[in-house]
Amino acid sequence: MTMRRSLILLAVAAVILVGVLFTRRGAEPTGEAALTAEAGEQVAAAPVAAAVTPGTEMVVYKTPACGCCELWIDHADAAGFTVVTKDVTDLRPLKAEHGVTPELSSCHTALVEGYVIEGHVPADVIAKMLDERPDIRGLAVPGMPIGSPGMEGGTPEPYDVVAFDRDGNTSVYARR
């Protein structure tokens, strides 16, 4: 492992640790719970909607030095996906080939069972999509919102998981 990558992973781990400690000390609810909570009301997080079939292969394309991509891969692996990682220097051709527009773009792109997963999409949302098999091209979490898998730490921000189809249409598939 290169020194730069080690330092990036160490910094990301420190941010996660601070986020975990903050969360355990009474932080406000995040994700779907935060969207449905009244002011000041604590609400439990929503249960996982679907489980990953063990051994479901996911191929993740990322740049070699991206620490948050590594953390998202760990998240997908912990959820039961069999993750194959492919480091590439330029993701733009792959994103274009799979219909990922600049508005949907994030730091990594994954392929799983014919679907495209762009960015920090939670594994339980991917499992739900694989269970439901909607007529979409894939799911995306544009950008890199704080609090999404692989971007833990700091003050979590609400974000949408966006479904996109082959014609370029988008809709909100889940809110976190």
Side-chain angles (χ1 to χ4, degrees):
M1 189 176 335
T2 67
M3 177 63 90
R4 180 177 176 197
R5 185 173 180 194
S6 297
L7 290 173
I8 289 170
L9 290 175
L10 182 60
V12 171
V15 169
I16 290 170
L17 179 59
V18 169
V20 168
L21 292 173
F22 176 75
T23 302
R24 289 188 179 159
R25 291 187 180 165
E28 293 184 24
T30 60
E32 291 175 17
L35 295 174
T36 59
E38 296 296 323
E41 178 184 349
Q42 294 287 324
V43 178
V48 173
V52 175
T53 302
T56 299
E57 185 175 280
M58 175 186 292
V59 180
V60 180
Y61 297 86
K62 66 175 201 60
T63 58
C66 186
C68 67
C69 293
E70 292 290 339
L71 294 171
W72 185 82
I73 289 167
D74 291 345
H75 167 77
D77 184 60
F81 287 100
T82 299
V83 180
V84 175
T85 304
K86 302 216 178 209
D87 286 336
V88 296
T89 55
D90 186 1
L91 289 165
R92 290 175 297 182
L94 178 79
K95 291 177 190 295
E97 176 186 346
H98 292 287
V100 177
T101 64
E103 296 79 25
L104 296 172
S105 189
S106 185
C107 55
H108 57 268
T109 303
L111 304 176
V112 59
E113 295 192 8
Y115 289 100
V116 180
I117 306 299
E118 179 66 17
H120 296 266
V121 178
D124 66 314
V125 176
I126 299 169
K128 178 178 184 265
M129 177 200 65
L130 292 174
D131 186 52
E132 293 175 347
R133 299 280 178 197
D135 186 22
I136 60 173
R137 190 166 208 169
L139 298 174
V141 171
M144 299 164 64
I146 300 299
S148 61
M151 293 296 297
E152 294 88 352
T155 303
E157 55 192 42
Y159 62 93
D160 292 334
V161 178
V162 179
F164 60 100
D165 67 16
R166 285 164 177 47
D167 297 325
N169 299 310
T170 62
S171 61
V172 174
Y173 188 79
R175 293 185 185 230
R176 295 295 168 103

